[in-house]
Amino acid sequence: MRLIALDSSGLVASVAVVEDDILIAEYTIQYKKTHSQTLLPMLDEIRNMIELDFEQIDAIAVAAGPGSFTGLRIGSATAKGLSFAMGKPIVPVPTVDGLAYNLYGTDKIVCPIMDARRSQVYTGIYEFIREEGAYSLHIIRQQCAVAFAEIAKNLNELGREVIFLGDGVPVFKEEMKELMKVPYTFAPAHMNRQRAASIGVLGTIYYAQGKIQSGEEHAPEYLRLSQAERENVQICPMERSDVDRVSELEEEAFSMPWSRDAFLEMIEKDNARYYVAKRDGNVIGGCGVIMAAGEGNITNVVVDAKERNRGVGCKLLQYLIEDGIKNGLNAFTLEVRVSNEAAIHLYKKLGFFSEGIRPNFYEKPVEDAMIMWKR
């Protein structure tokens, strides 16, 4: 397959064309020009140099965020314009994942650091695992916006050597000296910033996995700390004392709620993990997953009606996914009513993609279920 890749998430502007395992062209520049001045002219230059026929393009991969708000908007608008004009899908690639992929095959922990301002970083924690003669990118902590001290604590707990890269490295070097307890190094110049080539190669992988969007669906992921995080919402394992309130929330939210007894049974199972969100000691949401053969079936996500649209559900699921990865899960699935647009938007934001429809799955009222996966 052949795709165009774009990255304008930071000061770097980068465009590439990737075909299967060949990088046909890449144009990358880091200079003080706005991406609205550079991105399309760079693509046009590549098109002329390699005599690119847009009819032969299968998809457009784009660094979907986080990053510069203006840069992401320009990259997203460019990708959407190409998608509409060519009738091709968009492959959204998380920016921090793309940065990590620059260091393909290393045996060190990889930690991209992007300056998010306000004393925060866009970051994540990654490693490469050898599988069947190749390396796959394994997410230890998915991309997030946090204080550097928090990610340093996570890295120290892993106890392995770290390679840092990204435009946040020079900004947080002094904090690294103070906070890092494990050995660390920095990626060299040709690997330490965004590259469309990495977005393109990951885009090829994600395209094969069905992780695509239409031009209408695509939107950048800005990844600022949610209101839930700013307001000190705590996520913790569900206990018996929490079950009454969680079952009440289920009854308020759903026509076919789980019973109190069902929750009591699940929190005792070795292959299940259930969590609650609390503020000031009060339960305001809950979720749970059943684990089997390296996959997690997310059975419940519920948030108090008064707390919705404040990031509580997002924080619950992020915690569930991160904890699941630590417990050996490499894929997550769930079902959602096809009419539940708010929930579907949240799941897509967290990297879930629709992989099918289960007709008439729900009752009261009867409705199809969308089957979604994060792999």
Side-chain angles (χ1 to χ4, degrees):
M1 71 164 299
R2 178 181 287 195
L3 55 74
I4 293 169
L6 310 169
D7 194 327
S8 58
S9 59
L11 185 59
V12 172
S14 189
V15 179
V17 176
V18 175
E19 182 173 1
D20 298 325
D21 61 349
I22 300 172
L23 174 62
I24 297 176
E26 183 180 27
Y27 190 161
T28 298
I29 187 169
Q30 180 171 311
Y31 195 69
K32 295 180 180 180
K33 289 187 177 181
T34 64
H35 296 321
S36 59
Q37 295 176 294
T38 57
L39 209 60
L40 281 174
M42 290 163 64
L43 176 58
D44 191 52
E45 182 69 17
I46 283 179
R47 182 181 65 83
N48 291 330
M49 290 291 291
I50 66 173
E51 299 178 348
L52 179 65
D53 182 356
F54 283 156
E55 292 296 321
Q56 297 175 348
I57 295 297
D58 296 297
I60 303 97
V62 62
S68 156
F69 285 15
T70 300
L72 290 176
R73 285 195 294 269
I74 293 169
S76 175
T78 303
K80 288 166 76 75
L82 291 170
S83 174
F84 291 140
M86 297 160 54
K88 303 296 182 180
I90 292 173
V91 186
V93 178
T95 304
V96 183
D97 294 15
L99 266 169
Y101 210 71
N102 287 356
L103 301 181
Y104 175 90
T106 180
D107 61 350
K108 310 297 189 296
I109 293 291
V110 178
C111 184
I113 298 288
M114 298 170 62
D115 183 14
R117 313 290 183 183
R118 304 176 189 173
S119 299
Q120 297 171 0
V121 292
Y122 297 128
T123 186
I125 303 175
Y126 303 83
E127 64 180 344
F128 287 92
I129 297 178
R130 188 173 178 83
E131 297 175 335
E132 299 180 357
Y135 290 94
S136 62
L137 183 66
H138 177 231
I139 302 172
I140 299 175
R141 178 167 185 177
Q142 65 181 356
Q143 63 177 24
C144 53
V146 296
F148 179 77
E150 180 175 331
I151 207 70
K153 179 176 182 291
N154 293 159
L155 293 168
N156 289 332
E157 289 171 350
L158 290 171
R160 293 169 56 188
E161 185 174 345
V162 180
I163 303 178
F164 288 108
L165 70 158
D167 61 26
V169 168
V171 179
F172 290 91
K173 264 190 175 179
E174 293 305 312
E175 286 194 48
M176 290 178 189
K177 291 179 183 178
E178 178 183 350
L179 297 174
M180 293 301 298
K181 309 301 181 187
V182 296
Y184 63 90
T185 56
F186 304 116
H190 66 296
M191 295 180 176
N192 68 10
R193 294 294 189 273
Q194 291 92 326
R195 289 189 60 184
S198 291
I199 297 297
V201 176
L202 270 179
T204 300
I205 295 170
Y206 293 165
Y207 180 91
Q209 295 172 351
K211 297 179 179 180
I212 60 176
Q213 298 174 332
S214 66
E216 291 88 348
E217 292 174 317
H218 177 68
E221 175 53 71
Y222 296 114
L223 203 63
R224 278 293 183 190
L225 283 173
S226 69
Q227 188 172 356
E229 291 167 308
R230 296 196 301 270
E231 293 180 357
N232 198 31
V233 172
Q234 304 296 318
I235 309 298
C236 51
M238 189 183 299
E239 299 179 356
R240 295 180 70 87
S241 58
D242 301 320
V243 166
D244 283 343
R245 180 55 182 153
V246 174
S247 59
E248 287 176 3
L249 293 177
E250 281 266 324
E251 290 177 3
E252 293 169 2
F254 304 120
S255 61
M256 299 176 64
W258 271 35
S259 68
R260 178 179 182 276
D261 289 343
F263 282 110
L264 288 172
E265 179 182 353
M266 294 309 298
I267 64 175
E268 299 295 333
K269 288 184 176 292
D270 292 336
N271 69 330
R273 298 286 187 276
Y274 280 73
Y275 313 91
V276 289
K278 293 183 177 182
R279 181 186 290 114
D280 299 327
N282 298 313
V283 174
I284 58 174
C287 66
V289 61
I290 298 173
M291 304 181 294
E295 297 179 348
N297 179 19
I298 299 174
T299 59
N300 305 77
V301 183
V302 64
V303 175
D304 188 328
K306 300 186 294 296
E307 300 286 347
R308 291 175 193 164
N309 300 314
R310 301 174 72 175
V312 177
C314 183
K315 190 171 185 182
L316 272 165
L317 283 169
Q318 285 177 329
Y319 188 97
L320 180 153
I321 291 166
E322 289 174 10
D323 196 46
I325 290 171
K326 292 177 184 176
N327 283 280
L329 299 183
N330 50 46
F332 299 85
T333 185
L334 54 81
E335 291 147 346
V336 58
R337 286 183 180 269
V338 294
S339 63
N340 194 345
E341 295 181 359
I344 292 170
H345 176 76
L346 170 61
Y347 301 145
K348 287 183 176 180
K349 175 181 174 181
L350 291 170
F352 286 82
F353 287 81
S354 174
E355 294 196 10
I357 298 294
R358 186 162 292 164
N360 302 326
F361 179 77
Y362 291 104
E363 300 176 3
K364 301 179 183 179
V366 174
E367 188 173 5
D368 295 348
M370 180 182 294
I371 303 167
M372 303 189 77
W373 279 87
K374 177 182 175 70
R375 302 181 191 272

